[in-house]
């Protein structure tokens, strides 16, 4: 490893030469087909034993932010279960193999987050295969842009809420009886929670909900020793962006409106999840950690 996440670097220059062109994939998309490939920290994330012996479930762990987090958790010493859609098996197996190279126990559990029974089974299988559970990362998500509310289908509205909000509720509810004091729940919200785009009405609404869910539940669970926090990414290069998450005309300038002047890479998100999962953040509760290149937040 020449560079790792601790290497002193100018953040405005890091990754600044990466300029993706228009491209499209059918939902949910594959990291394997993203051009250029996103940086998931494969060659740079260096673990320092911050999650030794911990057992984590990560939804959307096959690609993007979830995959970068999964690699980091594995290198920090955790056992990890990955949830993803069956069509993402190729991405999931690549990430699982990188994690196993780090010596981690990995469970791959495909299924559809819109299905309550899958969400409950996912938690049960994670507990069975990892021998317990003390980190839950609700990260799987759906984002399809729509320019006119009158054409936003009831089905899409429902699917976006099922995937982004209901699954978080079902999984967290099923996980709670298994979570010992010291556990961490981390939900992926977005800058869209408080700075919503006109073309992401359904998606932005789910992200505001995730933020409120996080802060309400954090207060409920703090006395039990379970910390609930959120990470709010800004514009990050992942398959979500090329599967109708936004119009492809916008890809060339993606992230240029941030103070850093560039989009972020999934590898830059992983340390935020590691921090919130680890006991080092013991007094951090109900926080939304923004990782967005400098956009002001409430
Ligand atoms: P991604 O496409 O790599 O990850 C999203 C994952 O969600 C997919 O890999 C898929 O496994 C999972 N998923 C979607 N629908 C599912 C379903 N019905 N059943 C099971 N799994 C399903 O993209 P990402 O950008 O890494 O997204 C991860 C999270 O980050 C999402 O919650 C997203 O809203 C959030 N986020 C992303 C950005 C960004 O710019 N990329 C910004 C803010 C927030
Ligand atoms: Mg994926």
């Amino acid at each position: 490893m020449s560079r790792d996440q601790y290497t002193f670097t100018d953040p405005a220059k890091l990754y600044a030469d990466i300029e993706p062109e228009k491209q499209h994939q059918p939902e949910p998309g594959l990291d394997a087909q993203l051009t250029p490939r996103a940086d998931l920290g494969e060659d740079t994330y260096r673990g320092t034993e911050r999650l030794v012996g911990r057992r984590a479930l990560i939804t959307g762990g096959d690609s993007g932010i979830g995959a970068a987090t999964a690699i980091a958790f594995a290198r920090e010493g955790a056992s990890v279960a990955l949830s993803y859609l069956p069509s993402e098996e190729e991405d999931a197996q690549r990430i699982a193999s990188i994690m196993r190279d780090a010596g981690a126990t990995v469970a791959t559990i495909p299924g559809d987050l819109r299905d309550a029974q899958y969400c409950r089974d996912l938690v049960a299988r994670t507990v069975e295969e990892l021998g317990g559970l003390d980190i839950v990362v609700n990260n799987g998500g759906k984002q399809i842009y729509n320019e006119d509310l009158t054409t936003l289908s009831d089905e899409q509205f429902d699917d976006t809420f099922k995937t982004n909000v209901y699954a978080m509720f079902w999984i967290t509810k099923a996980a709670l009886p298994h979570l010992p004091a010291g556990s961490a729940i981390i939900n992926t919200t977005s800058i869209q929670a408080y700075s919503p785009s006109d073309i992401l009405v359904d998606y932005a609404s789910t992200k505001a909900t995730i933020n409120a869910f996080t802060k309400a539940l954090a207060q409920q669970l703090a006395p039990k020793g379970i910390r609930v926090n959120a990470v709010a990414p800004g514009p990050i290069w992942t398959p979500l962006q090329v599967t109708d998450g936004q119009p492809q005309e916008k890809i060339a300038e993606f992230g240029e409106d941030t103070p850093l002047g560039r989009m972020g890479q999934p590898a830059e998100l992983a340390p935020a999840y590691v921090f919130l999962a680890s006991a080092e953040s013991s007094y951090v509760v109900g926080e939304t950690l923004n990782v967005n290149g400098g956009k002001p937040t409430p």
Side-chain angles (χ1 to χ4, degrees):
M1 273 185 196
S2 46
R3 184 179 79 80
D4 64 31
Q5 77 272 31
Y6 301 112
T7 304
F8 187 69
T9 322
D10 177 347
K13 297 215 172 89
L14 186 65
Y15 302 117
D17 55 339
I18 298 176
E19 286 179 10
E21 287 174 7
K22 281 188 202 176
Q23 54 198 284
H24 185 263
Q25 291 185 46
E27 205 190 352
L30 287 177
D31 256 335
Q33 287 169 23
L34 206 55
T35 327
R37 295 292 290 269
D39 183 3
L40 306 181
E42 297 97 323
D43 298 325
T44 50
Y45 192 91
R46 178 163 62 89
T48 54
E49 304 195 328
R50 290 161 79 186
L51 300 174
V52 174
R54 300 287 299 273
R55 291 156 301 189
L57 166 60
I58 305 176
T59 64
D62 59 300
S63 60
I65 296 164
T69 300
I71 291 170
F73 279 14
R75 292 186 185 164
E76 295 292 356
S79 301
V80 184
L82 304 178
S83 156
Y84 51 94
L85 283 163
S87 63
E88 299 175 298
E89 193 64 39
E90 174 186 351
D91 276 353
Q93 288 305 331
R94 186 179 82 90
I95 299 307
S97 140
I98 293 170
M99 296 164 74
R100 288 183 183 120
D101 285 347
T105 298
V106 183
T108 52
I109 313 176
D112 193 327
L113 289 172
R114 294 169 299 180
D115 175 0
Q117 194 53 50
Y118 164 71
C119 291
R120 291 189 277 265
D121 291 346
L122 171 66
V123 171
R125 274 193 59 193
T126 299
V127 170
E128 201 180 293
E129 295 197 30
L130 305 186
L133 180 62
D134 51 57
I135 304 170
V136 178
V137 179
N138 290 302
N139 168 77
K142 179 185 176 75
Q143 174 185 331
I144 303 287
Y145 80 91
N146 168 279
E147 285 166 344
D148 181 343
L149 195 76
T150 61
T151 64
L152 177 56
S153 69
D154 291 1
E155 190 191 10
Q156 176 175 326
F157 192 84
D158 195 46
D159 278 350
T160 306
F161 270 83
K162 287 263 164 58
T163 309
N164 300 4
V165 175
Y166 280 64
M168 170 183 68
F169 165 64
W170 291 323
I171 288 169
T172 304
K173 188 166 138 180
L176 274 180
H178 301 286
L179 299 181
S183 296
I185 299 169
I186 308 165
N187 301 321
T188 302
T189 175
S190 169
I191 182 142
Q192 289 289 328
Y194 22 75
S195 191
S197 301
D198 58 342
I199 59 169
L200 293 175
V201 172
D202 56 338
Y203 175 81
S205 303
T206 65
K207 293 296 169 178
T209 302
I210 292 168
N211 222 14
F213 181 95
T214 300
K215 287 165 197 292
L217 190 65
Q219 298 172 78
Q220 186 184 120
L221 297 184
K224 298 185 164 75
I226 300 171
R227 296 180 301 108
V228 188
N229 289 288
V231 175
I236 312 301
W237 184 234
T238 72
L240 207 68
Q241 305 303 341
V242 303
T243 51
D244 295 321
Q246 61 167 315
Q248 284 312 296
E249 296 72 59
K250 294 196 174 174
I251 284 287
E253 302 101 70
F254 187 50
E256 286 177 7
D257 61 338
T258 64
L260 281 182
R262 64 167 177 90
M263 63 188 182
Q265 291 289 328
E268 298 181 277
L269 270 294
Y273 290 85
V274 170
F275 170 68
L276 293 174
S278 151
E280 75 202 288
S281 59
S282 55
Y283 207 57
V284 180
V285 176
E287 169 66 346
T288 300
L289 181 38
N290 295 283
V291 185
N292 69 19
K295 289 213 164 189
T297 57

